[in-house]
């Protein structure tokens, strides 16, 4: 009985991320303009409705686990900081070049870092996360619904960013204690999705 329950739990944990990704596929990145409601609700939903955003945040969480403890713990906060900086640039009127390509490349490159089990010094990792998420934040800033509260929108997508990144870390913890090959395969799948976003 205990073994059956344990197997069911493992199966649920492994299939949950796949179901989340499939849900994201249904609406993908171009469909954000259908999100209405308060600024908070729109901000909360926005990162979940684009597969590119969702994969990037999950990937940052996964990758951070193989880094130093300090960087690993800070990664979700760094992702949120990058998002906030990017949104701030958008709202200040600064046109960040190649935003969509930057978003796609962030997915591809973090996927490669996961697949190759790359470790970097904490300052380098922090800079990479903030830079990658800058593009995502810029897109979020540009796509804020007209009339939405800026502070509520910021709070919503910051909370979503933290939740998704922490979910990536939780999935990584589960996988790392079992089999690195699964983590590598997941990294390759994320990188392939990024390549599709960038060049497809």
């Amino acid at each position: 009985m205990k073994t059956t329950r344990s197997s069911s739990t493992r199966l649920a944990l492994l299939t949950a991320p796949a179901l989340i990704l499939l849900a994201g596929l249904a609406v993908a990145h171009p469909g954000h303009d259908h999100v209405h409601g308060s600024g908070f609700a729109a901000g909360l939903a926005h990162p979940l409705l684009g597969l590119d955003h969702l994969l990037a945040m999950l990937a940052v969480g996964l990758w951070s686990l193989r880094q130093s403890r300090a960087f690993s713990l800070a990664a979700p906060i760094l992702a949120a900081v990058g998002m906030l900086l990017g949104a701030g640039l958008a709202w200040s009127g600064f046109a960040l070049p190649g935003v969509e390509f930057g978003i796609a490349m962030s997915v591809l490159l973090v996927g490669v870092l996961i697949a190759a089990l790359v470790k970097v010094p904490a300052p380098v990792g922090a800079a990479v996360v903030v830079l990658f998420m800058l593009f995502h934040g810029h897109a979020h800033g540009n796509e804020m619904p007209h009339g939405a509260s800026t502070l509520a929108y910021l709070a919503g997508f910051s909370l979503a960013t933290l939740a998704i990144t922490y979910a990536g870390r939780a999935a990584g913890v589960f996988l790392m204690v079992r089999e690195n090959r699964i983590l590598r395969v997941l990294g390759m799948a994320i990188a392939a999705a990024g390549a599709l976003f960038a060049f497809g």
Side-chain angles (χ1 to χ4, degrees):
M1 181 69 174
K2 185 176 180 181
T3 304
T4 303
R5 184 175 300 171
S6 177
S7 298
S8 299
T9 302
R10 283 199 297 269
L11 182 61
L13 288 170
L14 288 171
T15 56
L19 292 174
I20 291 171
L21 295 181
L22 288 173
L25 274 170
V27 287
H29 186 59
H32 289 311
D33 56 356
H34 77 281
V35 179
H36 300 291
S38 72
F40 181 78
L44 193 65
H46 196 281
L48 297 168
L49 296 181
L51 185 59
D52 45 7
H53 297 311
L54 187 62
L55 283 176
M57 294 170 199
L58 286 171
V60 164
L62 282 170
W63 178 58
S64 72
L65 284 173
R66 296 197 63 83
Q67 310 309 308
S68 69
R69 178 170 172 77
F71 172 59
S72 177
L73 292 173
I77 304 298
L78 292 168
V81 167
M83 293 278 286
L84 293 172
L85 289 174
L89 288 176
W91 292 330
S92 68
F94 183 83
L96 193 63
V99 170
E100 292 300 326
F101 185 72
I103 289 171
M105 290 303 294
S106 73
V107 178
L108 190 160
L109 293 174
V110 180
V112 169
L113 292 172
I114 294 169
L117 304 178
V118 173
K119 293 184 180 180
V120 298
V124 174
V128 165
V129 171
V130 171
L131 176 62
F132 284 171
M133 299 315 294
L134 198 70
F135 290 99
H136 293 265
H138 197 281
H140 279 54
N142 279 331
E143 294 166 1
M144 183 175 75
H146 179 70
S149 163
T150 302
L151 286 177
Y153 187 71
L154 279 174
F157 79 64
S158 297
L159 181 60
T161 298
L162 290 169
I164 296 167
T165 311
Y166 277 116
R169 291 184 81 252
V173 168
F174 178 80
L175 293 172
M176 281 177 63
V177 298
R178 286 159 179 81
E179 181 57 73
N180 273 337
R181 282 180 297 183
I182 299 174
L183 198 60
R184 284 179 181 271
V185 170
L186 193 54
M188 288 188 285
I190 291 170
L196 185 61
F197 296 146
F199 308 112

